[in-house]
Amino acid sequence: MQAIEPNWVSSLWFAAFATICTLAFLVVAGMFPLRARPDSARSNVATLLVGGNAILLAVLLAATGFYGYAELRWSTMVVVAGLVVLFTPGLFEVWPASLRDGRTGLVVLVGIQILALATLAKVAAPFWNLS
């Protein structure tokens, strides 16, 4: 593994964060356009949740990309991201419909993204000297 990618632990973290980004993208993309949202996500609170999730997704996506760029070889980053994009929709399909199409799923997704950002900050701090 050392010859393929010297930072294999970083590639595992990158795969986890990229999976969360892809799942979040699939959930948030299903809420647009706003007038075509599922009935369980048509309230004003759900609109705020969709916007919040979109902002968190943008931040998490940028941070994950920066982490991958800083820690991994370019080829490893492309292969891992490709595998994540290929297989994550299957994971998305296993989720119950209430987590994919409703307010509950949007709240859970906010929590998951905040936890992922906090974990990414903790994992990347030793490498980026942010601590």
Side-chain angles (χ1 to χ4, degrees):
M1 188 72 179
Q2 212 48 11
I4 298 171
E5 174 57 57
N7 296 329
W8 63 274
V9 174
S10 294
S11 67
L12 294 176
W13 279 114
F14 177 75
F17 297 131
T19 301
I20 293 169
C21 287
T22 306
L23 280 172
F25 173 78
L26 292 171
V27 171
V28 171
M31 300 293 167
F32 287 101
L34 291 176
R35 67 181 177 281
R37 285 180 291 173
D39 292 335
S40 61
R42 286 192 179 243
S43 68
N44 290 334
V45 173
T47 303
L48 289 174
L49 285 170
V50 170
N53 272 305
I55 291 168
L56 283 170
L57 174 60
V59 171
L60 182 60
L61 188 61
T64 300
F66 184 65
Y67 175 72
Y69 181 75
E71 298 301 321
L72 303 174
R73 292 181 179 171
W74 180 250
S75 58
T76 302
M77 194 169 127
V78 170
V79 168
V80 170
L83 288 171
V84 165
V85 170
L86 183 65
F87 289 108
T88 301
L91 180 62
F92 175 74
E93 288 296 321
V94 174
W95 276 22
S98 64
L99 289 179
R100 288 184 302 193
D101 300 329
R103 250 180 298 172
T104 305
L106 291 171
V107 171
V108 168
L109 190 59
V110 165
I112 290 171
Q113 289 183 88
I114 289 172
L115 182 63
L117 281 168
T119 305
L120 180 58
K122 184 70 173 169
V123 167
F127 299 109
W128 297 341
N129 294 322
L130 297 176
S131 55

